[in-house]
Amino acid sequence: MKALYTAEALASGDGRDGQARTSDGKLEVTLATPVEMGGSGEGTNPEQLFAAGYGACFHSALRVVARRQKADVSDSTVLAKVSIGSNGQGGYGLAVQLDVSLPKVEAATAQALVEAAHQVCPYSNATRGNIEVELNVAEVAA
């Protein structure tokens, strides 16, 4: 792969209860283990950051494929849900659910656009075959 851009972030402290910051200083966050996992929940966590990144990237891919097909996705949204849990082998795994809303697109076209975006999105390509990714298309225009 020929890199078009490389993001750089440094994680420090106590892992999930530490800090993370990008080399350009545009993102600097305090990390905290979620309450559901026994932590304080007083900071963001890697799953939230992954959800934000995947959602934004998938939305961008969706807009690319929609533009190619001249579909109106101007009011579209992508809600990314990232779950973490035991993988049954002594480690942990992730699962992703992407809920896509395309209110100005009819159902069959919306489904086709979401499936095409899943083939274009770098996050989808990176996770394919490694974690479960569920794609849901919200109620759309008739």
Side-chain angles (χ1 to χ4, degrees):
M1 177 190 87
K2 181 181 177 192
L4 300 174
Y5 168 75
T6 300
E8 195 174 298
L10 177 68
S12 60
D14 193 16
R16 288 184 164 274
D17 293 302
Q19 301 79 36
R21 61 182 162 83
T22 57
S23 58
D24 64 5
K26 292 183 180 178
L27 177 70
E28 189 167 338
V29 295
T30 298
L31 301 170
T33 301
V35 172
E36 298 83 350
M37 294 174 62
S40 71
E42 294 182 7
T44 192
N45 61 67
E47 292 71 38
Q48 290 173 323
L49 296 169
F50 187 65
Y54 201 158
C57 190
F58 193 88
H59 199 210
S60 181
L62 179 66
R63 294 180 69 79
V64 166
V65 299
R67 197 168 31 254
R68 290 177 186 162
Q69 296 183 26
K70 298 188 180 5
D72 182 1
V73 295
S74 57
D75 291 332
S76 61
T77 61
V78 176
L79 173 63
K81 300 176 183 178
V82 174
S83 300
I84 184 171
S86 172
N87 67 5
Q89 301 170 355
Y92 295 91
L94 298 174
V96 173
Q97 177 180 323
L98 299 175
D99 295 335
V100 182
S101 174
L102 297 162
K104 295 183 178 179
V105 180
E106 68 90 25
T109 301
Q111 187 66 44
L113 289 171
V114 168
E115 290 173 11
H118 192 47
Q119 298 305 309
V120 171
C121 176
Y123 277 67
S124 292
N125 289 329
T127 60
R128 187 170 291 110
N130 296 309
I131 66 173
E132 178 184 335
V133 176
E134 178 183 334
L135 302 173
N136 296 313
V137 179
E139 292 297 316
V140 293

